[in-house]
Amino acid sequence: MRIALGATLSWEDLGGEMIAELRRVVLGLQEGQYAGPDAHALGWIDGEEVQLALSRRARETWDKLRPHPDLVQTLGSYLRNSGNLSRTADELRAHRHTVRKRLTTIEELIEVDLADPVVAAELLIVAVALRRAD
């Protein structure tokens, strides 16, 4: 097993709480999987009540986009790029106007305002939960 935490720590510097969290993450992995930075930061996401709320929100948002793979890809890229239209367009290899039109379509389909940072954060957390569930 190999664990990378960032800055080098000696075993003596690891507290019981950190070891317990690392153990929880490692034991939750299947063979061949790895845990990235979001595994620790979003540990609360695995709670049963949180999962129910996220599933409900996924049905109201991401599930409506599933028939449109280009919109799913656009929204994911837009959220990962912190709402930066130029970086999103570059990542998708699409014109900024095309991305802007897709984002407008997304807002209409799922009835949200992507300019609202709380909405964007919520959609990003739902996307992370969906990815973790796959």
Side-chain angles (χ1 to χ4, degrees):
M1 172 179 23
R2 182 174 163 189
I3 300 174
L5 300 172
T8 303
L9 294 173
S10 68
W11 284 107
E12 295 80 29
D13 292 336
L14 292 175
E17 193 173 307
M18 184 181 288
I19 291 171
E21 175 66 13
L22 287 170
R23 185 175 191 278
R24 184 193 66 75
V25 170
V26 169
L27 291 175
L29 297 174
Q30 295 178 0
E31 188 175 334
Q33 283 186 315
Y34 66 92
D38 65 340
H40 178 71
L42 293 177
W44 54 267
I45 207 168
D46 295 321
E48 185 178 337
E49 290 180 11
V50 173
Q51 283 294 308
L52 288 172
L54 292 173
S55 293
R56 183 173 44 252
R57 193 61 178 144
R59 284 190 304 275
E60 298 168 352
T61 56
W62 288 94
D63 286 358
K64 290 181 180 179
L65 299 177
R66 288 199 191 280
H68 312 279
D70 59 325
L71 298 182
V72 171
Q73 183 182 26
T74 299
L75 181 56
S77 176
Y78 182 74
L79 295 171
R80 283 191 310 278
N81 284 297
S82 302
N84 185 301
L85 190 64
S86 294
R87 284 197 317 251
T88 301
D90 288 345
E91 183 177 302
L92 297 173
R93 294 190 173 117
H95 194 277
R96 285 183 313 119
H97 296 293
T98 301
V99 172
R100 186 175 293 133
K101 183 175 178 4
R102 288 180 189 171
L103 293 172
T104 299
T105 302
I106 291 166
E107 288 179 319
E108 291 169 357
L109 280 173
I110 63 175
E111 301 174 12
V112 298
D113 177 6
L114 293 174
D116 181 337
V118 173
V119 169
E122 176 189 48
L123 290 170
L124 184 58
I125 290 170
V126 172
V128 168
L130 290 170
R131 189 178 74 224
R132 288 170 63 125
D134 288 343

